[in-house]
Amino acid sequence: MSDKKPLSFQQIILKLHQYWGDRGCAILQPYDMEMGAGTFHPATTLRALGPDPWNAAFAQPCRRPTDGRYGENPNRLQHYYQYQVVLKPSPPDIQQLYLDSLVAIGIDPMLHDIRFVEDDWESPTLGAWGLGWEVWCDGMEVTQFTYFQQMGGFDCKPVAGELTYGLERLAMYIQGVDSVYDLDYNGAGMTYGDIFLENEKQMSEWNFEVANTESLFDLFNKAAAECENCLDRSLPIPAYEQAIKASHVFNLLQARGVISVQERASYMGRVRDLAKGSCEAYMEKNGWAA
Amino acid sequence: MTDFLLELLSEEIPARMQAKARADLERLFTAQMAEAGLTAGDITVWSTPRRLALIASDLPAQTEAVSEEAKGPPEGAPDQAIDGFCRKNGVTRDQLEVRDVKGRPTYFAVINKPGRDTRDVLAEAIPAIIKAFPWPKSMRWGDASLSTESLRWVRPLSGIVALLGDELVPCEIDGLTSGYDTVGHRFHHAKASFVSSEVERPAAENDPNMSRLGSTGTAPGRITIGNAGDYAEKLRACHVLVDHEERQNIIREGAAKAASDAGLVLVEDEGLVVENAGLTEWPVPLLGAFDPAFLDVPEEVIQLTARVNQKYFVCKYPPNAQHGEADRAQRGGGATPPSAVPAATSPSLRDREEKLAPNFVCTANIDASDGGKAIVAGNEKVLAARLSDAKFFWELDQKTRLEDHAKKLSNIVFHEKLGTVADKVERVAKLAEWLVSLEGNGFYQPSPGDTFHGEVSEAARLCKADLVTEMVGEFPELQGLMGGYYAEKEGKSQAIANAIRDHYKPVGQGDEVPTDPVTVAVSLADKLDTVTKFFEIGELPTGSKDPFALRRAVIAISRLILENEIRLPLWPILAGQIVLRDGSSEYYSIAKQKFWSRSRKEIEDDYQWDQPHNAYPEPLESLPALVGQLMDFFADRLKVQQREAGVRHDLIDAVFALGGEDDLVRLLARVKALQAFVETTDGVNLLAGYKRASNILKKEGAGAPHSMRSSEGEEATSGQGSASSAEHKPLSYTPEKAEKALIDALDAAQPDVTAAIAAEQFEQAMTALAALRGPIDQFFEDVTVNDEDKAKREARLALLARFRNAVHQVADFSQIEG
């Protein structure tokens, strides 16, 4: 790190906004629905389809109910942030652009060992895959870097480059703290724990112990039905929202431990069909051929 | 003669793919040159994460001019034919030559192909090589990917350097053109320093490699290459060691030195050397440390965590080191030490002379401006987080007893048609218990009050329990090992812990075969069950496909049996294991009473295959055929396995063909005695006599060809009862001298053979058989089998059959080659 005081959590986000905004990206706000990863954001999934150029960046809260640890694990959370950049078509200097963004948030690549380590990405739920790397900084994975090859079962024409920064990890690294709850959130005395610790405790308890499974099963079926309803009316965007909803409800059911191994595959298959159906309808609505 | 340089610059190529990529590049290049008639001197191929390079020395400037002739129609042929020939060969009619072919004037076209510039050949070859490159996975990228037909490469291809001598080989593929320039190290050789923490948006530059999003201030500096000769050195000056072997040496030696400087010994790992060399262009090994408190976790776990997740080497204390001494030197890179915890740790569970030290070596890709302090500190933090996860799992797993873990196995499907892992465990336990209860089984004969049988039972029931532990969930390759550790921690006996740990062994050809009797019993039962059950549901290996590794399992079974001299009748055991179903007591009693406790012959004679048994919805009619299939599979694997030891496969067939021999130890002893015998003169001659007798019997239709698995063979093998009772009738005539001699010899030899076989004295049995050699030879010399007198003919055929059956007491000689 430089001698300067390291960036606070919110400054890291602001710096990334500034950096990618300066480079022509539309800076979006988080999507207002629960999702497991920034890749689910329609600005990634749906915009990866079709021929139109698309450059966007946003921070997205991610919910992974099974990763909750009641606020007791310094690295694991059921709710955390990803910073997501989507560049389509992937620019020729995308790696350089990315490395410069690390410099922008205070990582000096002559002091730290930055490496691109093979890590291919596949999301059966989205019918998507891509090739790329996990980017290591001194042995820690700080970013997932992917060239989308397929989305919703469709070849990406053209290919989008996706950068997913793990914001808490990066911030812990930049600030040199060992627990996510100790992160300096705003540079003015507020920690990440001040804001999210109680949230983690209560949400973990709800995810694992309290959530009414009967109504969750009901929600899942309703979301699935609504998705199909939207698809019947050629409304791919609301259909996709329902697919995201179903996916999250499924994750909650998993956390409640009420889905057996055998059932798991069938639920995942249903979510996949909804997501793929939405992508298909999106292609159709825009008049794009597979 | 000129040297050629090709560099294909790309984004980071996965380390694991680089070795094959080098070989593919050389192969494709050589093939392209050969097609053009060019031969290079030496070819060198190098790789880094970002480039593949090839240098071909001493290429000629041009390909050789060639002159080819084509024979055409004869003189006077129709114009159409002659014109067609001209067109085909690209010559005019007045260029044709006329030559005499067998007295007939015939047109010939002489086509002279001038030599081509090598540069032109290369300019075509390079795009062809790139297009044909067989990456295991490839991708599209950038603007061109609007079409799915765009160029594919392992990661985006960004540059081509192609120089023949000092000259550019101009070529183009998918908008990418060859040039003189490449890039150096990603960080050491950048246009602007990375040190600034602020990156201003730079002025637009006219660089095709920069995007419309705005090029950056830290663009890679370009390097201009002069020719093949200066390539490696120019890159070196820009912090790129293009020769992968040089990088491997630096890592191998540097890592060892980093460890020894700290008074430690590096745990060598060539796979890690190669992988790290594939991840770096300028490797710098650095020593780091972790909190010695983590050494409570088994060494294998620490090593795997470091290796698999982080690609770090681990270190050990040198033999007989005072740990305190080494501890003082253990810090690397001057980083802040982890919380001071005394080095005293619990002794490793498996006592080792050289214990793991709380240190590791990572390989950075830069010569960091602070000498690596920050890098080491960062890596230490990452490893610490990984190890605390591992420690958490280690401690969490121990809060549940193995028997309680084992209960969860009923939630894990072993195979959709074969029930749960809990079902399998129960079958394995029942079989293991049975195996060690067999009389004279060769495992171990416990004295009264001995815990052996109880240990077998318990170990078998716990052997898969670790599959549901957190640690094995994280590192599946630790299955068995973790169960062993947890058993020790729970205070189970060493024999039980060993059996849990080692029951997967032997895994491969080179793997050691367990010898501890508890381990052998569990390992055998587990593998016998696996093979039997997959055969039962028709999941047989085919060709190169063996998804459940059944071939390996059978070889492991053979090795366990043979190396430990375990005596067991395979046929009833395999049959019983099928009948055992889910291992419940109802099936168990049938498996035990009707199969395991009987010989094959007893089962075959007695079991009513076509009758529905009350426990089974359908009769077991297909069972004998299934077990036959399994026995054939065992025979095949045994042949493969024994080939290296020089055991003849036809002799294994000859003994297996008797059908009754299903004790592998006895079978192999028999085969070995047989092999020694058939290589003697007596053996060779007896075999000849046997074949002659056999041919006559076949021709006369007297006694169908010896059935592979007839009860006749069974009798012969079991050595009980006479093999010839039916033929032992008094003669109605006076036998000829040679005939009488053969009868006497058989009368004398047969009891000897039978007795020797019963006593498993196979060499003696062979010696007894050898006594038949003279009489059979003499018989064929002097006696006419096909006598006009029907009584004589039948008696003599019966005698030959008796002779054949006597031989079959040892082996089915018809299977023997030569």
Side-chain angles (χ1 to χ4, degrees), chain A residues 95 100 115 118 120 147, chain B residues 11 16 137 186 216 218 363:
Chain A
Q95 281 186 308
D100 288 343
R115 226 86 72 69
E118 177 191 15
D120 300 339
Y147 289 99
Chain B
E11 296 177 8
R16 68 184 170 95
K137 274 191 201 167
R186 205 183 259 296
T216 67
T218 50
T363 310

Side-chain angles (χ1 to χ4, degrees), chain B residues 292-343:
Chain B
F294 288 125
L295 292 172
D296 285 347
V297 177
E299 294 190 347
E300 292 88 344
V301 175
I302 294 175
Q303 201 171 341
L304 259 186
T305 303
R307 185 182 73 209
V308 176
N309 294 326
Q310 298 300 138
K311 309 182 197 312
Y312 301 155
F313 296 88
V314 291
C315 305
K316 295 209 163 193
Y317 290 109
N320 309 319
Q322 297 298 308
H323 291 190
E325 273 173 43
D327 283 344
R328 264 184 278 122
Q330 81 191 18
R331 300 300 314 168
T336 330
S339 57
V341 174

Side-chain angles (χ1 to χ4, degrees), chain A residues 58-80:
Chain A
F58 52 91
Q60 178 63 41
C62 301
R63 300 218 189 194
R64 301 204 175 165
T66 47
D67 282 354
R69 293 292 181 272
Y70 298 82
E72 286 164 14
N73 184 301
N75 300 301
R76 278 191 194 259
L77 305 158
Q78 55 83 43
H79 172 283
Y80 65 99

Side-chain angles (χ1 to χ4, degrees), chain B residues 479-495:
Chain B
Q479 63 179 15
L481 186 81
M482 291 320 301
Y485 276 118
Y486 294 140
E488 281 179 5
K489 283 277 178 185
E490 258 183 50
K492 302 284 181 207
S493 74
Q494 199 57 48

Side-chain angles (χ1 to χ4, degrees), chain A residues 22-63:
Chain A
D22 284 350
R23 278 154 188 81
C25 286
I27 302 301
L28 306 180
Q29 300 309 315
Y31 209 67
D32 57 343
M33 292 182 70
E34 303 105 324
M35 55 185 72
T39 307
F40 278 88
H41 195 306
T44 307
T45 306
L46 295 180
R47 294 286 182 161
L49 295 165
D52 297 343
W54 176 252
N55 297 298
F58 52 91
Q60 178 63 41
C62 301
R63 300 218 189 194

